[in-house]
Amino acid sequence: MAKKLLPTGVQAKLLRSAKKVMKNAHAPYSKFRVGAAILLSNGKVFSGCNVENASYGMTNCAERTAIFSAVAQLGPRIEIRAVAVTNDQGLPCSPCGACRQVIYEFGPDATIFFPGANGPKQAHITELLPEGFRLQ
Ligand code: THU
């Protein structure tokens, strides 16, 4: 369970944004479209979708697309408060290990909202990524 529960209004706003951007996914290989939205400490919301590649390993997940887009727009001093993830198949979908580490870089206190096996779930980033790596 997340230490800081997201207010339902914030959840709904992030989920709306994630569902909208999910439609832009480039997922011809997995056919699994994902959308993510992040809430920053300055109140701004950024979103991203998964972008796959014929060379599969080059795929970028929705969560990282959203975070990289925020950094590109605002610079590296962003602070992620919350992340919402959704997919077009109603499947459980928590952020992958690589995305957890990237979320942790900019949101060591972030709450993650995602579809779990038994419905929507919230978790603190450190529950999903205990002892994440930091250099500073
Ligand atoms: N994917 C995401 O974008 N985010 C997740 O949280 C899980 C997986 C994408 C990567 C790939 O394009 C597809 O879902 C299937 O793995």
Side-chain angles (χ1 to χ4, degrees):
M1 173 63 82
K3 291 176 200 160
K4 295 176 183 166
L5 287 180
L6 285 182
T8 48
V10 176
Q11 279 178 38
K13 182 178 172 180
L14 290 180
L15 210 50
R16 249 195 327 273
S17 174
K19 281 184 191 300
K20 186 175 176 202
V21 74
M22 180 181 78
K23 299 193 173 82
N24 291 338
H26 176 61
Y29 308 106
S30 71
K31 312 266 192 280
F32 188 66
R33 291 169 180 267
V34 184
I38 60 174
L39 172 70
L40 304 181
S41 55
N42 65 7
K44 292 190 175 162
V45 172
F46 283 82
S47 63
C49 56
N50 54 333
V51 182
E52 298 184 347
N53 192 276
S55 175
Y56 292 0
M58 298 299 101
T59 292
N60 209 59
C61 291
E63 296 89 327
R64 278 176 289 146
T65 306
I67 294 166
F68 295 161
S69 164
V71 172
Q73 290 297 310
L74 301 179
R77 295 171 74 98
I78 60 164
E79 192 194 334
I80 300 173
R81 282 276 153 79
V83 180
V85 190
T86 190
N87 67 78
D88 64 347
Q89 300 188 19
L91 289 173
C93 183
S94 66
C96 76
C99 289
R100 292 176 192 198
Q101 177 64 34
V102 175
I103 292 167
Y104 185 70
E105 177 82 13
F106 298 102
D109 195 27
T111 300
I112 321 297
F113 183 62
F114 59 95
N118 303 309
K121 235 181 129 169
Q122 287 190 38
H124 192 265
I125 185 62
T126 58
E127 291 176 283
L128 300 182
L129 184 75
E131 307 204 22
F133 178 64
R134 283 199 99 73
L135 271 180
Q136 48 193 353

